[in-house]
Amino acid sequence: MLVLALVCLSFLLLLPLRWFEPPTTAFMLRDDSGRVPVAYHWVDWEALGTALPLAVVAAEDQRFAEHHGIDIDSLRQAVDEARAGGRVRGASTITQQLVKNLFLSSSRSFCRKGIESWLALVADLVLPKRRILELYVNIIELGPGIYGAGAGSDQFFGKTPAQLTDAEA
């Protein structure tokens, strides 16, 4: 019964994001930059332009279109590199980063990573890839107290996201 309740709760958390923009995130609520309120305003997909979403995928998750919320191949490669004595690197997907920023903390624990992975799988089931990317680009922290493409492009370049050049994106 508890498992069923957790599954239902997961879907109830994520399904509304298919149509509604989040008014805030866990990261915004915990922001300690001193900026009150944090800089954040939503930018619809059509107003993002093409440079920024493409730059985000190139920088954060090149296999975004191919995986289902978790990139098992990248995860396996990161574990193998760490075991071989290499630098420990992250293997989080855009979807995992999205759910972490929306609902979780930045703490490093297996428990948080497990919840993040579960929510990423559910997010990939209920949200189209374009919507996942739209949500992510709109909520990521781009500087102290600056969240999302709208606030970031305005703060750093005095432009809308659609006006950003490839290099700026």
Side-chain angles (χ1 to χ4, degrees):
M1 193 64 161
L2 179 62
V3 172
L4 180 60
L6 291 174
V7 168
C8 289
L9 178 63
S10 302
F11 280 86
L12 289 173
L13 274 174
L14 290 159
L15 192 58
L17 294 174
R18 192 174 176 110
W19 303 281
F20 302 106
E21 60 210 45
T24 190
T25 69
F27 275 44
M28 288 180 211
L29 292 173
R30 280 190 217 87
D31 184 89
D32 62 358
S33 67
R35 182 186 286 255
V36 179
V38 297
Y40 167 66
H41 64 270
W42 185 267
V43 178
D44 288 328
W45 179 261
E46 294 77 19
L48 284 173
T50 56
L52 188 59
L54 186 58
V56 167
V57 170
E60 297 292 332
D61 185 1
Q62 297 85 22
R63 295 172 38 91
F64 177 66
E66 300 167 23
H67 62 68
H68 298 287
I70 299 172
D71 186 346
I72 300 298
D73 293 337
S74 290
L75 186 59
R76 188 176 295 128
Q77 186 179 19
V79 168
D80 290 345
E81 288 172 12
R83 283 187 182 152
R87 181 178 74 84
V88 176
R89 66 171 179 87
S92 291
T93 65
I94 286 173
T95 312
Q96 287 175 282
Q97 293 177 57
L98 171 68
V99 297
K100 177 183 74 175
N101 280 265
L102 282 169
F103 305 117
L104 305 171
S105 73
S106 60
S107 69
R108 290 179 165 244
S109 73
F110 287 113
C111 181
R112 197 254 323 147
K113 197 65 171 174
I115 295 168
E116 172 189 305
S117 297
W118 166 252
L119 290 174
L121 291 170
V122 174
D124 203 74
L125 281 173
V126 300
L127 302 171
K129 289 287 190 178
R130 186 176 102 169
R131 182 61 175 173
I132 291 169
L133 189 55
E134 179 184 25
L135 287 160
Y136 179 73
V137 167
N138 270 290
I139 65 145
I140 55 173
E141 184 176 10
L142 297 171
I146 303 167
Y147 293 87
S153 61
D154 182 52
Q155 177 74 34
F156 298 118
F157 301 105
K159 300 178 177 183
T160 67
Q163 295 170 323
L164 294 176
T165 66
D166 291 348
E168 290 166 339

